[in-house]
Amino acid sequence: MKRSRTTALRQRTAGWSANRRIAVVAAVLAVLVAAAGLAAYVTGQADQDSKTSAPAAPAKPAAPSADSSEGQGKPSPGRGAVAAAPQIADPLAFGKAAAAMLWSYDTRTTSRDQQLAGMRAWMTDEAKYSDWTGVQAQVPDPVLWSRMRDNAQHATATISTATFPSAFKQALADDPAALTEAYIYIVTATGKQSIAWKGGGGGAEDRSVTLAVQCRPSADCALVSIAPRVAP
């Protein structure tokens, strides 16, 4: 995306409400107008959002690596059954770990509040980019969670691949510098979720998800959002 289009986008969105901005972020993710368009949009709201957002926590140092799909570390136990976010700067490896986290739960040992708290710890500290509303919507409501707990339902996930969607790669090829505004990468992860419950019941299904992941230089990656549909 060219710089003139980026400037025009900022001008058109400068006065939008928070709800409208969230809707457009979801639309951008859905059609993958890639990091160039996504970064331009969200950074265009920085001045307005900074008036209401809490200051971000300082980033933790880590060696950046954006090309490999293999991580430098593995998630450690987090709150309840929720794994803690791995301290890695590789968006593909982080995307795989985030997908595994999203598809894993254990109602036998983890309350719904603990599940949400564990997931929240994966999110970026930069409030102007974070779509926590969309991420927490992945957790069942309190009534359903209670029924799942009565049934001792739990799930694990195995992630097979994590890739950058083709539209994202094309957008970066068109305008590599656009990524440096927010350092948001689009990652599609695929794998399998296995679910079990008391009485020996269980099953498994193939899963795919497209995520927005922020990996600033010299900082660990963090989750930004979940796209409403999977991007190839």
Side-chain angles (χ1 to χ4, degrees):
M1 185 173 293
K2 304 304 180 184
R3 295 185 185 277
S4 60
R5 294 174 61 188
T6 298
T7 301
L9 179 61
R10 289 177 177 174
Q11 292 173 344
R12 290 197 302 270
T13 61
W16 287 4
S17 67
N19 288 340
R20 191 177 182 187
R21 291 199 307 272
I22 291 171
V24 172
V25 168
V28 169
L29 287 171
V31 298
L32 284 181
V33 184
L38 179 60
Y41 168 73
V42 291
T43 54
Q45 307 305 320
D47 292 340
Q48 180 174 347
D49 289 337
S50 63
K51 297 176 182 178
T52 58
S53 301
K60 294 171 286 185
S65 171
D67 297 324
S68 170
S69 63
E70 297 299 325
Q72 300 297 315
K74 296 181 179 180
S76 58
R79 296 173 175 83
V82 181
Q87 296 182 350
I88 51 178
D90 181 336
L92 292 175
F94 186 88
K96 292 177 73 172
M101 179 273 294
L102 291 169
W103 299 336
S104 302
Y105 58 86
D106 192 340
T107 62
R108 302 168 302 178
T109 61
T110 308
S111 69
R112 183 176 182 273
D113 286 346
Q114 287 176 322
Q115 186 75 17
L116 289 170
M119 293 170 62
R120 183 67 181 84
W122 286 67
M123 300 296 296
T124 176
D125 289 325
E126 299 181 43
K128 60 188 174 184
Y129 302 130
S130 178
D131 179 26
W132 171 235
T133 299
V135 173
Q136 69 177 337
Q138 304 299 307
V139 177
D141 63 54
V143 174
L144 180 55
W145 187 273
S146 178
R147 292 175 180 172
M148 291 164 59
R149 185 164 192 169
D150 292 341
N151 209 29
Q153 187 167 317
H154 52 287
T156 57
T158 302
I159 310 303
S160 54
T161 64
T163 59
F164 296 128
S166 57
F168 174 78
K169 291 187 288 187
Q170 184 59 54
L172 288 187
D174 292 343
D175 188 3
L179 183 64
T180 62
E181 294 194 51
Y183 287 95
I184 293 175
Y185 300 80
I186 308 300
V187 178
T188 294
T190 62
K192 185 181 293 292
Q193 182 189 46
S194 299
I195 303 175
W197 51 86
K198 66 181 180 182
E205 65 175 347
D206 294 332
R207 299 288 300 272
S208 297
V209 66
T210 296
L211 308 169
V213 173
Q214 185 179 49
C215 298
R216 289 195 179 278
S218 301
D220 297 331
C221 294
L223 183 60
V224 172
S225 184
I226 302 175
R229 59 179 60 89
V230 177

